[in-house]
Amino acid sequence: MTWLWSLLLLGLGLGKGAWGKPPPDTGVPLSSRVHQQAPLSEAKHDDAHGDFQFDHEAFLGREAAREFDQLSPEESKARLGRIVDRMDRDGDADGWVSLDELRAWISHTQQRHIRDSVTAAWDTYDTDRDGRVGWGELRNITYGHYQPGEEFSDVEDAETYKKLLARDERRFRAADQDGDLQATREEFTAFLHPEEFPHMRDTVIAVRMQETLEDLDKNGDGYVQVEEYIADLYSPEAEGGEEPAWVQTERQQFRDFRDLNGDGHLDGHEVGHWVLPPAQDQPLVEANHLLQESDTDKDGRLSKQEILGNWNMFVGSQATNYGEDLTRHHDEL
């Protein structure tokens, strides 16, 4: 996830059309603490069997890939030709598609859902319609209106709500680059999707590290001990009986992969490495794959003719969709 910040979950996720306070944080499962990089496609990467759905969704984005599946081969190739022209035009306009231009295009298409989510949220949070989302607007819509010093005085678990509010404010201030507490659309996008902004990575790691330490460091020594790590996953009082084998596996994971310096606990750096591991440049990997499969003269760049000559790897059509369906049906027999 892409992960979604608590604001997105608490605001956009309300299904009854009324804004309300978030539910208390009852403990984040371990898997929810670790940022999982979203794949370019949920489809299997299975070029060897003529199934290019992964490549289609990576190159076009999932919605556009489904649209291309309904086109005739002629129209699909014609649209691909226009995309090739745009990729080169957005780059150095030298008549070729380079690896960098291909990677930039894939990154652009993969971020379309991010732009759509920001557009959907913008009108809700920009209540005064001034073209910015202020911290006050965001706070009041998400948590309700309170006078200073009276925050959450009407709820039982006020401290939990105060912690959530403080976390959202830290994230907002990190995204608000000019410090005026008024988020532009770009800053608001960085708040909702910080993993997509290189300038946010150090801040995201610091925030996630602090939040994880706040939740797990029960003895307040500034570290996550192995028992604190396990307690976030497993409660012997609640589960009862003998400790499951998977818990022992997690203890080994802690020793072998989490505790990088082998001192028996996790410091801030190790917590940051755990909850936000270094990300693979997926658009670059896919761009390399498409270039290697289509670069017939092996000059390290793609001509329009080379891309159109391998068009069914880049985009689908009624014909390729039918062929993939036949392949799947044959494999099921």
Side-chain angles (χ1 to χ4, degrees), residues 266-280:
L266 305 186
D267 59 23
H269 169 74
E270 290 165 327
V271 169
H273 190 274
W274 163 40
V275 298
L276 195 65
Q280 181 188 50

Side-chain angles (χ1 to χ4, degrees), residues 260-307:
L260 301 177
N261 62 9
D263 62 0
H265 54 228
L266 305 186
D267 59 23
H269 169 74
E270 290 165 327
V271 169
H273 190 274
W274 163 40
V275 298
L276 195 65
Q280 181 188 50
D281 190 338
Q282 295 186 99
L284 178 60
V285 172
E286 178 64 14
N288 259 313
H289 168 67
L290 292 174
L291 189 146
Q292 292 298 322
E293 293 296 325
S294 308
D295 183 18
T296 55
D297 61 8
K298 304 304 177 185
D299 64 350
R301 59 186 182 177
L302 295 177
S303 67
K304 187 173 184 178
Q305 183 179 359
E306 286 175 320
I307 292 176

Side-chain angles (χ1 to χ4, degrees), residues 84-269:
V84 173
D85 293 338
R86 178 177 172 182
M87 282 193 290
D88 182 41
R89 187 170 62 248
D90 290 347
D92 56 16
D94 65 350
W96 304 87
V97 174
S98 67
L99 177 65
D100 287 343
E101 288 168 341
L102 191 53
R103 180 199 173 279
W105 171 261
I106 294 172
S107 295
H108 172 79
T109 61
Q110 291 297 315
Q111 290 173 357
R112 187 176 293 129
H113 73 283
I114 293 174
R115 297 190 294 272
D116 290 345
S117 75
V118 172
T119 298
W122 187 258
D123 287 343
T124 297
Y125 293 105
D126 181 19
T127 56
D128 60 8
R129 300 295 184 263
D130 67 346
R132 294 171 177 264
V133 173
W135 166 243
E137 292 174 304
L138 189 149
R139 179 194 60 217
N140 291 339
I141 288 177
T142 306
Y143 294 96
H145 292 259
Y146 289 100
Q147 294 299 319
E150 297 182 0
E151 289 86 355
F152 310 116
S153 58
D154 56 340
V155 298
E156 293 183 5
D157 196 358
E159 291 306 312
T160 297
Y161 292 120
K162 288 179 181 179
K163 180 188 290 187
L164 290 172
L165 175 61
R167 290 179 177 182
D168 275 344
E169 184 172 1
R170 283 201 300 267
R171 291 164 182 160
F172 188 92
R173 288 180 180 274
D176 178 31
Q177 290 190 285
D178 58 10
D180 63 355
L181 294 182
Q182 298 288 324
T184 63
R185 187 176 289 265
E186 183 78 0
E187 290 169 337
F188 189 56
T189 304
F191 172 74
L192 292 180
H193 301 278
E195 70 280 2
E196 301 296 332
F197 289 78
H199 77 270
M200 289 287 288
R201 181 172 175 84
D202 288 345
T203 301
V204 169
I205 290 176
V207 170
R208 295 284 286 180
M209 177 188 71
Q210 182 176 350
E211 292 173 358
T212 302
L213 283 172
E214 286 175 358
D215 289 342
L216 271 63
D217 179 22
K218 302 304 182 185
N219 64 8
D221 65 353
Y223 300 97
V224 175
Q225 310 294 339
V226 64
E227 293 307 323
E228 292 170 330
Y229 173 88
I230 294 299
D232 192 51
L233 280 170
Y234 171 74
S235 172
E237 294 81 9
E239 301 289 340
E242 186 177 349
E243 187 174 89
W246 66 265
V247 176
Q248 291 297 324
T249 299
E250 283 297 332
R251 291 182 190 278
Q252 192 65 41
Q253 291 280 322
F254 182 95
R255 290 189 291 269
D256 294 345
F257 302 107
R258 311 285 183 234
D259 182 15
L260 301 177
N261 62 9
D263 62 0
H265 54 228
L266 305 186
D267 59 23
H269 169 74

